[in-house]
Amino acid sequence: MDATSQAGGATATAGSPVVGGQAGPADPLLPYLSADFPWYGLDDGWTGRRFLMQAGAGGTRAGAAGVDYGTLGHGDEPAKQYEPRDVRKFAVVVTVARRDSRRSADNTGTLEATSPSSAAWLAGSGLLAATWPGQLDRMLRQDWLDQQSTLAWDLADDLAGPGWSTLSLPVNGLPQAFRYRESEYGWVLAGEAPGVLLGAFGRGVSAYGIGFSTVPDLGCYARP
């Protein structure tokens, strides 16, 4: 599994809108457009809202930091704080570049090659970050998040284990096998797609009814 995933890496967060259709310093599409791999989202079967989330840089290529993974959201945005009655419905697709082992961004160590476990970890930790269990204050929630993140890391590192089942879903119209698991907080899946590793997590949206496809125009995710 890629150690960048556990460390979190450096992230670029979507913020300002596109101005005049041109990429600028505040353009949330910029980190996505700089990636050297295709982005995946839900296919045309999804007719709801789409939005940018984060694109992350973890390693170095040709002496410069590169985008290694990113997330595209569908449905309701994850809550920033506890909601007494959480009725949000969302599915988030995680695209991870296929990377061989390489030097870390600070050049102090070596990162493992990415694998489906990398996608599983990013999806699992993403679901945890989007979840507010019970009426926990921020301090207690951080303890819970640390504990659950360790469990998610262990599960992601054992995709062939009993904690996962197999689920076949379409990718660009063709069936693809994914490793899948459910919990009281939502669902997580991970697998492979042409050119990338693919993960997803969701809540209130059935994983059994979704499909994935490459995104020809990221503009549909950047619009309000």
Side-chain angles (χ1 to χ4, degrees), residues 188-223:
V188 172
L189 59 81
E192 302 186 42
V196 300
L197 304 160
L198 206 58
F201 63 91
R203 185 174 176 180
V205 174
S206 174
Y208 291 85
I210 63 175
F212 305 99
S213 65
T214 51
V215 180
D217 178 13
L218 284 163
C220 64
Y221 285 89
R223 301 185 188 105

Side-chain angles (χ1 to χ4, degrees), residues 69-156:
Y69 61 90
T71 49
L72 294 174
H74 308 78
D76 300 322
E77 292 194 45
K80 300 295 190 296
Q81 59 186 11
Y82 170 70
E83 296 181 354
R85 186 168 180 266
D86 190 348
V87 295
R88 293 170 297 122
K89 298 179 180 180
F90 59 86
V92 176
V93 180
V94 184
T95 306
V96 183
R98 293 180 182 271
R99 302 287 188 225
D100 296 328
S101 59
R102 62 213 188 278
R103 301 297 295 177
S104 61
D106 59 7
N107 208 36
T108 60
T110 301
L111 302 176
E112 297 178 14
T114 54
S115 69
S117 289
S118 307
W121 157 246
L122 288 168
S125 60
L127 177 62
L128 292 173
T131 303
W132 287 81
Q135 297 187 32
L136 297 181
D137 62 29
R138 289 187 177 275
M139 183 174 296
L140 289 177
R141 182 176 186 271
Q142 187 58 53
D143 291 340
W144 173 87
L145 189 60
D146 291 343
Q147 180 187 56
Q148 294 298 315
S149 295
T150 299
L151 177 60
W153 178 261
D154 292 339
L155 283 167

Side-chain angles (χ1 to χ4, degrees), residues 26-91:
D27 185 349
L29 277 174
L30 188 58
Y32 291 88
L33 296 176
S34 67
D36 62 352
F37 54 89
W39 292 102
Y40 281 76
L42 296 188
D43 62 18
D44 291 341
W46 176 264
T47 58
R49 180 170 177 253
R50 298 172 184 258
F51 55 94
L52 299 175
M53 295 186 70
Q54 290 184 328
T60 58
R61 297 191 301 282
V67 174
D68 288 328
Y69 61 90
T71 49
L72 294 174
H74 308 78
D76 300 322
E77 292 194 45
K80 300 295 190 296
Q81 59 186 11
Y82 170 70
E83 296 181 354
R85 186 168 180 266
D86 190 348
V87 295
R88 293 170 297 122
K89 298 179 180 180
F90 59 86

